[in-house]
Amino acid sequence: MSDIWLRASRLVHGFLPDQHLVAQQALVASIYLPEGDTYVAVQSSKPVGFIGLRGAYVGGLFVDPASQRKGTGRRLLARAFEARAFLTLGVYALNDQAQRFYKSIGFEEVGRSGTDEQGMPFEVITLRCEREAARL
C-alpha cells in the first residue's frame, strides 16, 4: 500500500520534495495504515488503491497511477460512505486534480490552512461531503 501511496504522491504532489515523500512513506506504512480503517481496491488479485479513514476523516485516498481514471477512487469513496454518514478530508491547494475529483463527487470547502500537517508552507483545503449529497 505504501508503494501505491508513493507512486501516486509523486504524480500529484510534485511540489513536495521527494525526500519528504519518502519520509512520509515510512509513516504511512508504520502508523497511518495500521491505525486507520483501510479499504483496499483489488484488481486481478493485486491492490490498485486504498482509502484510509480515521473516524470520518479521509486520511488518504490513493490509486496507483496505472489504474487511475477507471472508477477506483469513486468505488473506494462509495465504500467509505457505506460506513460513514459524512466524510471530511484535506487536499493541497496546489493539487488541482484532487480538488476537481472531490468537487465532482459533491465535496464542498469548509476551511483552509496555510500549512500542512507537518507545518510545511503549503495551503490545505478542508472539504466535507454528506453521504446523501455524494454523487457516486
Side-chain angles (χ1 to χ4, degrees), residues 8 49-52 58-63 72-74 76-77 101-102 105:
F50 68 92
I51 188 168
V58 178
L61 169 61
F62 292 91
V63 176
T72 303
R74 287 182 180 273
L76 287 165
L77 279 170
F101 170 73
Y102 289 120
I105 289 168

Side-chain angles (χ1 to χ4, degrees), residues 36-54:
D37 294 328
T38 303
Y39 302 101
V40 179
V42 177
Q43 186 174 37
S44 300
S45 302
K46 179 183 172 192
V48 295
F50 68 92
I51 188 168
L53 303 174
R54 293 180 294 187

Side-chain angles (χ1 to χ4, degrees), residues 93-112:
L94 293 172
N95 188 346
D96 293 329
Q97 178 182 339
Q99 284 185 66
R100 284 191 307 274
F101 170 73
Y102 289 120
K103 288 180 180 179
S104 76
I105 289 168
F107 280 83
E108 297 179 346
E109 183 176 333
V110 295
R112 286 184 180 245

